[in-house]
Amino acid sequence: CHRLKPPIIWMGGKAWDHLVEVALSAGKTTIQLEVKAENARAQKFYTMRNLKVVQHLSNYYASGLGYLMKGPI
């Protein structure tokens, strides 16, 4: 019997849920993070969780543009 690996989105969702739980218990209400501009999959993941791009970060990464994303927890 082969066990299937959980999809990356599922694992990311579990980690996100844990982050939110810890942040809320610490009294936090917003979150901000940086993501590579070329990482559309990560941007979609965060957008689905109500984060929005609030700033373009030129040369933030060695490979180029990054985005600062921010939103409510």
Side-chain angles (χ1 to χ4, degrees):
C1 175
H2 294 288
R3 292 183 57 96
L4 296 175
K5 288 184 180 180
I8 297 297
I9 294 296
W10 179 83
M11 292 186 321
K14 288 290 203 180
W16 179 263
D17 291 345
H18 179 71
L19 172 67
V20 168
E21 180 182 331
V22 170
L24 289 173
S25 70
K28 306 300 181 189
T29 58
T30 60
I31 188 164
Q32 79 174 36
L33 53 86
E34 298 81 24
V35 63
K36 286 185 174 185
E38 63 194 41
N39 192 344
R41 188 172 177 182
Q43 292 170 46
K44 181 178 179 181
F45 178 88
Y46 297 127
T47 299
M48 290 172 49
R49 285 152 180 84
N50 298 317
L51 274 70
K52 298 191 181 341
V53 173
V54 295
Q55 184 178 353
H56 289 206
L57 305 170
S58 298
N59 298 313
Y60 185 78
Y61 292 98
S63 61
L65 183 64
Y67 295 140
L68 177 66
M69 297 185 78
K70 190 172 186 176
I73 293 180

